[in-house]
Amino acid sequence: MPKLFRAARGMTMRKTANQCVHALVVVLTFGVVHGAHAHHSFAMFDNENQIKLQGKVTSFQWTNPHVYIELDAASVYSEDKTVKSWTVECANPGILNRIGWKFNMIKAGDEVTIIVAPLRSGEPGALLKQVTLPDGRVFANGGPAGPALIQ
Amino acid sequence: MSVRAIRTTTVAGACAAALLAVFVAWSGSAQEPDRSRSSSGVAGMPDFSGTWERYTPPRDPNAPASRAAPGAGGGLGPTFGGAPPPLKAELVAAYEADLKLRQDAERRGEPIPSVNAQCIPEGMPGMMIALFPMEVLQTRGQLTIVQESFSQIRRIYIGENPPAIEDAEPTFFGHSGAKWEGDTLVVETVGIKENVRYRNAPHSAAMRIVERMRMLNPDRFENQITVVDPEFLTGPWSWTWTYQRKPGYKMYEYVCEDNREFVDPDTGAQRMRFRNEAN
């Protein structure tokens, strides 16, 4: 059972803010790159059990066929707070540019919060669903990757 | 009104403003000039020049079909196009077994990598799906199509016939000749590499791809594709892709620089390579 909207159980205001983020994510994601299909299968990622990670970026690689965020991070909701080195796959520069990302918007040392679909293999790799930057801006990963199912 | 209600109203208002800003930004970008629209096409003939993206008809079952949106009424347009290939009987079992293998692997979470996952471009006809935006440049005697994904380029020579099958060196994008039939550009392509497979369908060296391209209105054109292969198919295999203009869009470069998807030599499944991990 996915941990749906675990964080949204709080105050009404927070709920509304979350709904707003969702609306923006949906609009940005599906409005701009509607109907696009991915260049490869996402079946190796566990979309039904998305997790939220918080940590420090060690590298932001702006390349094709994928952009990668490397970070040392721990789970937000799990009791196990072990910090691991994660490799997080994002869409590609073209898709991300079209939904408002910029090649230099993340830097090594940044503290970020991300929602990801982890690899089914258990390795510390994942597909990005949503990233929150140190300044609070929230970005989705484009239509093909699908939306965050938790907050 | 309680403090909480006021806060909620304020957040809802900010949300509406943010959504409005997004729509304003979109409508603003739609008014930029289309820099790639050609002025050097043949006078009096349709001009396909410009930047385009695949058009997917709206998901409205009650929408009447129209010339501008031929797929409307039928739900979402087919991403991969129409029916499966009408393969000859002796090829069906192998094709279906391969399909099942891929579907089962997908369900297990161990997908068999597509060519794209290995940084290999779709080639023809798959590149015309326009996974990412595409640029069409129409000049005298030539239509050049650039796909943003994998920086794929094909050149269609208008007024020429494609080479004979026996002279057509197998390539990803083939060799294309074209002629005008009224307002429709009829393109014929031969010489596709055997390992360049659309929807994993096998084909022979005798395969021909016929495309009928025509403008539906100034901002939309359709491409009716028909694959003919007397050695592998029982009849024509046809579908239609439609594109809509993407005004002002500037194409991004695409170099497959660091592909971390790799084929596991033990299982054949797609896996992710980690930084500093030897492939």
Side-chain angles (χ1 to χ4, degrees):
Chain A
M1 178 68 186
K3 306 170 197 84
L4 283 169
F5 304 107
R6 234 169 134 160
R9 286 185 193 142
M11 298 186 339
T12 314
M13 183 182 76
R14 190 164 175 195
K15 210 168 176 177
T16 310
N18 275 335
Q19 284 164 352
C20 173
V21 167
H22 263 111
L24 277 168
V25 165
V26 167
V27 164
L28 287 169
T29 304
F30 296 101
V32 181
V33 285
H34 57 88
H37 75 272
H39 102 278
H40 67 72
S41 166
F42 290 132
M44 63 182 179
F45 300 108
D46 188 354
N47 195 49
E48 298 303 309
N49 290 291
Q50 298 184 7
I51 57 172
K52 190 171 189 173
L53 300 168
Q54 209 159 26
K56 190 176 276 193
V57 173
T58 55
S59 146
F60 181 52
Q61 182 182 307
W62 190 257
T63 53
N64 274 302
H66 291 289
V67 168
Y68 289 96
I69 302 170
E70 311 265 1
L71 73 168
D72 294 333
S75 168
V76 172
Y77 296 130
S78 166
E79 284 175 14
D80 181 2
K81 298 297 179 191
T82 310
V83 174
K84 291 182 191 167
S85 294
W86 285 83
T87 295
V88 179
E89 179 180 303
C90 310
N92 85 315
I95 288 178
L96 296 178
N97 266 309
R98 288 192 284 278
I99 59 170
W101 288 51
K102 207 176 162 198
F103 68 95
N104 57 3
M105 72 179 205
I106 299 176
K107 294 179 176 64
D110 282 356
E111 291 281 350
V112 296
T113 303
I114 57 174
I115 295 165
V116 298
L119 280 172
R120 293 179 193 279
S121 66
E123 297 167 291
L127 174 68
L128 184 76
K129 298 292 172 176
Q130 181 183 301
V131 57
T132 305
L133 305 188
D135 63 10
R137 285 183 297 155
V138 177
F139 290 87
N141 190 22
L149 300 177
I150 62 168
Q151 278 301 317
Chain B
M1 192 182 270
S2 70
V3 172
R4 180 178 292 179
I6 291 169
R7 280 180 180 164
T8 305
T9 309
T10 308
V11 171
C15 174
L19 282 165
L20 184 64
V22 168
F23 283 114
V24 167
W26 278 350
S27 53
S29 66
Q31 285 159 10
E32 284 181 26
D34 186 358
R35 293 170 187 82
S36 61
R37 194 193 282 265
S38 164
S39 57
S40 57
V42 178
M45 301 310 279
D47 187 352
F48 298 100
S49 293
T51 44
W52 303 86
E53 61 186 338
R54 194 177 73 241
Y55 171 72
T56 308
R59 192 195 285 270
D60 179 1
N62 299 315
S66 71
R67 196 167 184 236
L76 273 179
T79 302
F80 291 103
L87 289 166
K88 287 190 172 178
E90 62 269 28
L91 299 168
V92 170
Y95 180 74
E96 289 183 347
D98 177 66
L99 193 66
K100 186 172 184 310
L101 198 70
R102 290 171 188 278
Q103 289 168 343
D104 289 348
E106 188 80 12
R107 273 193 286 270
R108 286 198 313 273
E110 299 173 342
I112 296 172
S114 65
V115 288
N116 277 177
Q118 298 168 72
C119 267
I120 295 171
E122 295 105 322
M124 276 295 291
M127 71 174 274
M128 293 306 293
I129 199 172
L131 176 67
F132 292 166
M134 73 178 185
E135 184 172 40
V136 181
L137 303 167
Q138 187 170 334
T139 46
R140 284 190 183 277
Q142 185 170 326
L143 197 72
T144 307
I145 300 180
V146 182
Q147 293 291 349
E148 188 175 286
S149 62
F150 300 92
S151 296
Q152 299 176 87
I153 300 179
R154 62 185 290 225
R155 297 173 179 86
I156 297 163
Y157 299 106
I158 303 171
E160 291 186 16
N161 290 317
I165 294 288
E166 58 270 26
D167 296 328
E169 178 185 334
T171 58
F172 276 85
F173 311 115
H175 310 277
S176 303
K179 62 183 177 191
W180 291 102
E181 283 183 9
D183 63 354
T184 302
L185 187 66
V186 182
V187 183
E188 196 173 335
T189 302
V190 297
I192 306 296
K193 289 170 84 89
E194 190 275 332
N195 59 327
V196 172
R197 295 184 174 193
Y198 176 62
R199 292 178 63 172
N200 300 309
H203 66 84
S204 76
M207 176 176 75
R208 287 176 189 276
I209 302 165
V210 179
E211 296 165 276
R212 299 180 63 85
M213 301 179 184
R214 63 177 184 137
M215 300 293 296
L216 299 175
N217 64 45
D219 293 322
R220 202 163 285 168
F221 86 87
E222 76 167 14
N223 188 6
Q224 295 177 3
I225 299 177
T226 300
V227 176
V228 179
D229 187 342
E231 292 182 26
F232 279 49
L233 301 180
T234 58
W237 181 23
S238 302
W239 66 90
T240 300
W241 281 320
T242 307
Y243 313 97
Q244 64 186 354
R245 201 177 285 281
K246 201 168 172 55
Y249 182 73
K250 294 174 180 172
M251 299 277 285
Y252 284 98
E253 71 166 28
Y254 192 118
V255 176
C256 224
E257 183 181 356
D258 182 17
N259 186 20
R260 301 198 192 180
E261 315 296 336
F262 73 98
V263 187
D264 187 315
D266 297 326
T267 64
Q270 173 184 313
R271 286 187 54 200
M272 180 196 267
R273 177 174 55 80
F274 290 87
R275 197 162 55 149
N276 303 326
E277 179 189 342
N279 189 348

